[in-house]
Amino acid sequence: MQNFLIRVLINAVALWAAAGLLDGISFGTEDEWTKKVVTIVLVALVFGLVNAVIRPIAKFLSFPVIVLTLGLFTFIVNAFMLQITEWIADPIGLAFTIDEFFWDAVMGAVIITVVSWLLSVVLPDGDDD
């Protein structure tokens, strides 16, 4: 359970960093920071669920293209997971938007991958027992 919470917080920080660095990704226009933090954490939870359920299927189906592009197509798969997260967040009332798939979602996927990797290196994963 602790590992799951750490993963959600890492995703939340990575999503916040992507929204801060890219104009095309945003978490609504709320001025109240508590609502924005709750929105970011809930979107990170949805993003984690999408990555756990849909991403393995997408990576399996796109395996030949991933091999052909020497792994670079993984960023497109990650961007697609980010886009699916936006599609799910809208009906459940979360203010998470991505303006354009190609540049905003792909660059957001790159930023999220780098930030998640850095935080995973720095933070403990709970498997040190």
Side-chain angles (χ1 to χ4, degrees):
M1 183 68 167
Q2 180 183 8
N3 194 18
F4 175 74
L5 292 176
I6 290 173
R7 194 92 236 39
V8 169
L9 290 175
I10 287 173
N11 280 338
V13 171
L15 286 163
W16 173 74
L21 292 171
L22 297 172
D23 291 333
I25 298 176
S26 66
F27 287 101
T29 58
E30 295 125 4
D31 291 331
E32 193 175 336
W33 67 272
T34 53
K35 286 183 181 179
K36 191 168 272 197
V37 169
V38 169
T39 301
I40 292 170
V41 170
L42 290 175
V43 168
L45 183 61
V46 171
F47 185 62
L49 291 173
V50 166
N51 277 332
V53 175
I54 300 172
R55 187 171 182 238
I57 298 166
K59 284 186 82 171
F60 177 75
L61 293 175
S62 63
F63 181 72
V65 180
I66 291 172
V67 170
L68 189 64
T69 61
L70 302 175
L72 291 177
F73 194 74
T74 304
F75 290 116
I76 303 301
V77 172
N78 291 344
F80 186 58
M81 297 304 108
L82 198 58
Q83 191 71 50
I84 290 173
T85 302
E86 181 202 17
W87 292 337
I88 294 172
D90 186 39
I92 62 175
L94 297 175
F96 176 61
T97 58
I98 301 172
D99 291 343
E100 296 180 23
F101 175 78
F102 193 73
W103 291 114
D104 295 329
V106 172
M107 290 307 295
V110 171
I111 292 169
I112 289 169
T113 301
V114 170
V115 171
S116 294
W117 175 77
L118 286 173
L119 289 175
S120 294
V121 168
V122 173
L123 294 175
D125 60 358
D127 294 336
D128 295 334
D129 297 335

